[in-house]
Amino acid sequence: MISKTGMRAGFAAMLMASGALVAGPAAAQDWPERPVTLIVPWGAGGGTDTVARTLAAAMEEPLGQPVNVVNRTGGSGIVGHTAMASADPDGYTIGTINVDLSQLVCQGLTDLTAERFTHIALINTEPAAVSVSAESEFETLEEALDAIRENPAGTFTASGSGTGSIYHLAWAGLMVAAGIDPNKVTWVPSEGGGPSLQDAASGAIDFVTPPLSTAAPLVEAGRIKPLATMGAERFAGLPDVPTVEEAIGVDWTSQTWRMIGAPEGLPDDIRDELTSAVRTAFDSEMFTNFMNERGFAMTWMDPAEAHAFHASEDQAICEVMEAAGML
């Protein structure tokens, strides 16, 4: 006599053999069968949003499905990043991960560390830089730092973005790396890189930290003088500008970055298909032209590299924020 348990087990085995039962996340051979959602934690029209939308459009052909961009704003990026991390790891929800998330982790506002995501690829980094007015007395970064050391606190001002943001952190980290108390220079919050550069050009601010890609038009117009980039390499658009290490012998780099990620636990085969689609989009004429026209640096890291980079940023940003008294 066959028990009910045995009958159920036998029936299940028959279904598996006939293909009626299929393991969910592991069965990626038919993925994607429907549109993919790409979550952007910031509002429409900004840099992250426009990069994501252009990439999404270029991903549709290799995926064979629409890629719909959805803006999930709020909480300085926490809402959108949480929505992505909390989604089913089935490949149908991906999103952008931004440097701002590491800062929020350091402040104890979220637990969304690098380990909470499956990394697809890093696609963009924008190193901060140090620039001054074209009329400034400073010709080199070394001269500027010497003047900061020699003068009382509050003599000079710096700007580039809001208080506690990545470009503020870049400046504070540079000061710490150079052995200078970050509080010696007054940070003046601004609405972003563009406005801060205009303030510097007019002489209202002494030092600004937006990327050279943002500063380039004012450099070419003769209104801004760049002193150094905080990138590991020189900026191709302004190749005469040294890196911080070249300028003062201090190995300090800082950049904003954007990567594509998915929830933790995404099957490897789906991750690999997504990475392939992102790479195809990254290399496309549509995306390349957009990035070049906007002055956005194209930087590629594969899943393993992107994960390691994100994890290192979680640690490094916390260390700098603590050293600068920003926590």
Side-chain angles (χ1 to χ4, degrees):
M1 181 176 177
I2 301 175
S3 68
K4 292 183 178 179
T5 301
M7 291 175 64
R8 284 196 296 267
F11 183 59
M14 291 172 60
L15 288 173
M16 286 291 288
S18 66
L21 291 179
V22 180
Q29 64 269 22
D30 295 325
W31 182 91
E33 296 179 304
R34 53 187 171 84
V36 173
T37 296
L38 193 159
I39 295 174
V40 175
W42 304 102
T48 298
D49 177 72
T50 53
V51 168
R53 289 182 183 276
T54 307
L55 185 78
M59 287 175 63
E60 293 187 350
E61 182 175 350
L63 286 180
Q65 291 285 350
V67 180
N68 301 320
V69 175
V70 175
N71 300 93
R72 295 289 300 274
T73 61
S76 298
I78 291 177
V79 171
H81 283 108
T82 300
M84 191 217 316
S86 303
D88 291 334
D90 55 10
Y92 290 105
T93 301
I94 60 176
T96 61
I97 307 173
N98 303 75
V99 64
D100 310 82
L101 186 60
S102 291
Q103 294 172 252
L104 296 169
V105 168
C106 296
Q107 293 170 305
L109 299 176
T110 178
D111 63 353
L112 295 178
T113 65
E115 306 311 313
R116 294 287 304 277
F117 299 93
T118 298
H119 295 78
I120 306 302
L122 182 142
I123 58 173
N124 167 241
T125 57
E126 290 289 335
V130 180
S131 299
V132 296
S133 165
E135 306 300 321
S136 171
E137 62 183 293
F138 304 122
E139 296 296 329
T140 67
L141 179 60
E142 185 174 17
E143 291 177 0
L145 296 181
D146 285 344
I148 293 171
R149 291 187 183 97
E150 295 166 2
N151 284 277
T155 301
F156 299 105
T157 55
S159 187
S161 52
T163 300
S165 64
I166 186 60
Y167 296 134
H168 183 194
L169 180 63
W171 174 260
L174 174 62
M175 295 295 97
V176 171
I180 302 173
D181 180 355
N183 295 316
K184 285 205 73 176
V185 178
T186 302
W187 183 262
V188 179
S190 76
E191 293 300 317
S196 70
L197 284 161
Q198 292 291 345
D199 288 340
S202 69
I205 296 291
D206 296 304
F207 306 105
V208 286
T209 55
L212 292 181
S213 58
T214 304
L218 288 175
V219 174
E220 294 167 0
R223 299 182 62 201
I224 284 290
K225 183 194 316 179
L227 302 183
T229 173
M230 297 189 203
E233 300 176 352
R234 295 192 179 198
F235 174 59
L238 295 169
D240 294 334
V241 181
T243 65
V244 167
E245 185 171 18
E246 291 171 333
I248 62 171
V250 172
D251 184 15
W252 170 250
T253 60
S254 180
Q255 61 273 312
T256 185
W257 45 263
R258 301 178 177 101
M259 61 177 68
I260 303 300
E264 178 187 8
L266 183 71
D268 289 350
D269 49 1
I270 295 181
R271 179 204 63 199
D272 292 345
E273 288 195 48
L274 277 166
T275 298
S276 177
V278 172
R279 182 74 215 207
T280 299
F282 180 87
D283 291 333
S284 69
E285 184 177 357
M286 175 196 301
F287 190 71
T288 301
N289 288 344
F290 167 81
M291 296 294 277
N292 290 338
E293 289 168 2
R294 294 297 184 94
F296 291 138
M298 296 178 66
T299 307
W300 177 265
M301 290 186 189
D302 65 24
E305 293 168 331
H307 175 268
F309 177 78
H310 185 177
S312 70
E313 287 285 276
D314 281 347
Q315 179 177 346
I317 287 175
C318 289
E319 291 173 354
V320 172
M321 292 184 78
E322 184 173 2
M326 298 170 70
L327 294 180

